[in-house]
């Protein structure tokens, strides 16, 4: 049985002071779940959040990292820097990074490899646009993103990676994929993982759904056979996140 993993992606929200306040509001309320809980926060919030969450079961993640070791990459952050701070997870290839910061499956692949090298657990994102869904190419597109993102990664490393399926049309729009739509794609991701790594590895990998997850729809989405939790944007910035994390209660 796969353990659920529910991660908040704060995106470009919360100053360090506000980050501490949000942690203080949420930590006791989310520390009680059986699921793994991760707060993925802006770089400048990592220290205050790590400090505020010390002694809880809540893990801390970054929202991005660079694929190079170090060097002349002004404004970038390396895997080594994140690891030394005590960060556990890192989101890689979010659709907003692909859209606004020219990330490609190739850079995603390099970042996933570098994260693993530093013992960071990647949350690798994939997802289709509305046009792709309407054109009926969703599964084909997702299969390609998964294969390219994971190129050259071995089975043992694969077990450490979390895949987040986020249909772009459902992000921040209030338009959630139905649980059947989300399940269909998550099952197809597990299928491609089985083809690449064998069924045993595919069964171990955790696949999240993301896109307008909220306190009301979380239980139904997370009850689907191949959905092992969520990557939550907007609702992770408020008390509602506790409701999502405690979806069983
Ligand atoms: O990473 C999180 C997703 O982009 C979902 O964002 P949302 O929950 O605000 O739709």
């Amino acid at each position: 049985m796969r353990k659920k993993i529910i991660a908040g992606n704060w995106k470009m929200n919360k100053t360090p002071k506000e980050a501490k306040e949000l942690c203080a509001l949420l930590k006791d309320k989310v520390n009680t779940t059986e699921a793994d809980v991760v707060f993925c926060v802006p770089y400048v919030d990592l220290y205050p959040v790590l400090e505020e969450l010390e002694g809880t079961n809540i893990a801390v993640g970054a929202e991005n990292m660079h694929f190079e070791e170090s060097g002349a990459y002004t404004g970038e952050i390396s895997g080594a820097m994140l690891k030394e701070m005590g960060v556990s997870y890192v989101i890689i290839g979010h659709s907003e990074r692909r859209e606004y910061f020219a990330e490609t499956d190739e850079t995603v692949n390099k970042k996933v490899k570098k994260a693993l090298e530093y013992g960071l657990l990647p949350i690798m994102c994939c997802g289709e646009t509305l046009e792709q869904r309407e054109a009926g190419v969703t599964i084909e597109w997702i299969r390609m993103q998964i294969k390219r993102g994971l190129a050259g990664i071995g089975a043992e490393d694969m077990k450490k990676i979390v895949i987040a399926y986020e249909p772009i049309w459902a992000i921040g729009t209030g338009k959630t994929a139905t649980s059947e739509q989300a399940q269909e794609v998550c099952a197809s991701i597990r299928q491609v993982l089985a083809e690449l790594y064998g069924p045993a590895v595919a069964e171990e990998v955790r696949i999240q759904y993301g896109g307008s997850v909220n306190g009301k729809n979380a239980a139904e989405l997370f009850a689907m056979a191949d959905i092992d939790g969520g990557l939550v944007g907007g609702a992770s910035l408020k008390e509602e996140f506790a409701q999502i994390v405690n979806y069983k209660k």
Side-chain angles (χ1 to χ4, degrees):
M1 194 58 193
R2 294 178 296 270
K3 193 174 181 191
K4 298 277 191 229
I5 175 161
I6 301 167
N9 173 13
W10 290 7
K11 308 193 178 185
M12 196 174 73
N13 293 293
K14 304 292 171 191
T15 65
K17 186 168 163 273
E18 291 167 344
K20 271 188 151 261
E21 286 163 5
L22 183 58
C23 289
L25 172 80
L26 286 174
K27 66 179 174 188
D28 293 337
K29 299 187 175 80
V30 306
N31 202 23
T32 49
T33 173
E34 297 157 19
D36 284 337
V37 179
V38 191
F39 286 10
C40 296
V41 308
Y43 293 133
V44 295
D45 294 341
L46 287 170
Y47 263 131
V49 167
L50 281 160
E51 204 174 75
E52 194 64 39
L53 298 181
E54 215 184 316
T56 71
N57 295 326
I58 306 163
V60 177
E63 299 176 10
N64 179 37
M65 61 173 269
H66 200 272
F67 53 78
E68 289 293 350
E69 205 65 35
S70 62
Y73 302 99
T74 302
E76 289 293 333
I77 297 287
S78 72
M81 293 170 186
L82 296 177
K83 189 64 190 175
E84 192 180 301
M85 289 182 82
V87 168
S88 311
Y89 289 84
V90 57
I91 299 175
I92 293 178
H94 190 281
S95 61
E96 287 148 16
R97 300 234 30 112
R98 294 177 190 252
E99 184 178 353
Y100 307 127
F101 302 98
E103 292 215 6
T104 63
D105 290 330
E106 287 64 41
T107 58
V108 167
N109 179 248
K110 288 185 187 178
K111 289 181 179 197
V112 170
K113 286 177 174 160
K114 191 53 81 180
L116 289 165
E117 216 178 281
Y118 280 99
L120 296 162
L121 303 171
I123 300 178
M124 188 184 97
C125 302
C126 62
E128 83 285 4
T129 62
L130 187 59
E131 292 69 33
Q132 286 169 323
R133 176 155 286 269
E134 285 172 352
V137 298
T138 298
I139 303 291
E140 203 183 315
W141 174 256
I142 299 293
R143 285 179 60 87
M144 193 189 69
Q145 281 190 317
I146 295 291
K147 284 186 181 175
R148 289 184 174 169
L150 297 175
I153 288 164
E156 278 316 301
D157 275 339
M158 185 62 233
K159 294 181 195 166
K160 300 173 195 153
I161 301 172
V162 175
I163 306 280
Y165 165 57
E166 300 205 309
I168 295 167
W169 49 272
I171 297 176
T173 57
K175 229 193 210 179
T176 324
T178 63
S179 35
E180 289 74 22
Q181 284 173 322
Q183 163 60 23
E184 185 197 11
V185 180
C186 291
S188 80
I189 293 171
R190 203 171 305 284
Q191 172 60 34
V192 72
L193 293 177
E195 291 164 25
L196 294 171
Y197 297 100
V201 173
E203 272 310 304
E204 271 192 51
V205 175
R206 296 186 290 179
I207 304 174
Q208 297 174 315
Y209 166 78
S212 299
V213 174
N214 59 42
K216 291 200 181 80
N217 60 26
E220 190 185 326
L221 285 160
F222 300 168
M224 302 309 280
D226 290 290
I227 301 180
D228 307 312
L231 184 56
V232 184
S236 71
L237 297 167
K238 35 190 181 177
E239 211 169 332
E240 188 175 1
F241 191 61
Q243 230 179 304
I244 296 174
V245 160
N246 294 300
Y247 66 98
K248 274 196 179 162
K249 292 179 188 158

